[in-house]
Amino acid sequence: MSLVRSKICGITRVEDALVAAEAGADAIGLVFYAKSPRAVSVQQARTIIAALPPFVTTVGLFVNASRCELGEILDAVPLDLLQFHGDEQPADCEGYHRPYIKALRVKAGDDIAAQVARYPKAAGILLDTYVPGVPGGTGEAFDWSLVPHDLGRPVVLAGGLNAANVRAAIERVRPYAVDVSGGVEAGKGIKDADKVRAFLAEVRRTTI
Ligand SMILES: O=C(O)c1ccccc1NCC(=O)[C@H](O)[C@H](O)COP(=O)(O)O
């Protein structure tokens, strides 16, 4: 029996980060993609991270950022883990002296195992919903039956999760972790404390 870890993503406010941490989130996600309504500035990110209690992993999310841009952010923001949501090739994800997660957007007909095999140095693979032109944060779930049973890597399941469907998602996919953004919000980038707590409580009640 094992517990599934959880990340609350798209955090833009200190108060939301503290609610997530106090409710048991293992990680928070900070979006450094200007086109996202959940994007944070370097200063916002520094303030949020400085307010966190210990033992909460900080994850920076990027979409095809240049090495220069990413390096500047890492010089200023204490991120534990990187998460790449664009067309990044393996070489684009390495060399930052940080573990990274590669996000793959799933659609019928994809060879997920082959895509995973292209990132042997990734600490984990995040499986998210494919919506044309939307790199992440779609708020839509994908067909979990598309996920192969054993990808041989820590899988983070994302895409349209919420307190009502996360148990079924975990039981179907048996992921290492789950990730949520829209399903715990009152508005884009504004988390709803009760939804955050309900989501994390449901994850804790679900063992695999
Ligand atoms: O959340 C965003 O706005 C976002 C924008 C661009 C790239 C990635 C983004 N989010 C990444 C995440 O890990 C989200 O939590 C994940 O896509 C799930 O989002 P949701 O379907 O809203 O739960």
Side-chain angles (χ1 to χ4, degrees), residues 78-193:
L79 294 169
D80 300 316
L81 194 63
L82 309 180
Q83 185 171 307
F84 294 105
H85 271 257
D87 308 314
E88 296 87 356
Q89 300 307 300
D92 301 323
C93 304
E94 297 161 13
Y96 296 105
H97 309 292
R98 301 276 191 309
Y100 76 88
I101 289 173
K102 183 65 181 82
L104 301 174
R105 296 149 65 207
V106 176
K107 60 186 183 301
D110 282 353
D111 185 342
I112 296 172
Q115 291 182 47
V116 169
R118 296 188 54 243
Y119 297 88
K121 294 185 179 176
I125 299 292
L126 183 135
L127 298 179
D128 203 348
T129 302
Y130 175 82
V131 172
V134 184
T138 67
E140 295 179 28
F142 68 90
D143 178 358
W144 302 320
S145 70
L146 294 174
V147 180
H149 281 298
D150 183 9
L151 285 170
R153 314 285 291 287
V155 168
V156 181
L157 182 63
L161 297 181
N162 54 53
N165 68 10
V166 69
R167 173 184 287 266
I170 290 171
E171 290 173 347
R172 180 65 187 77
V173 176
R174 303 173 70 80
Y176 169 79
V178 290
D179 167 290
V180 65
S181 192
V184 293
E185 287 184 333
K188 294 283 188 187
I190 306 298
K191 303 310 179 190
D192 176 309

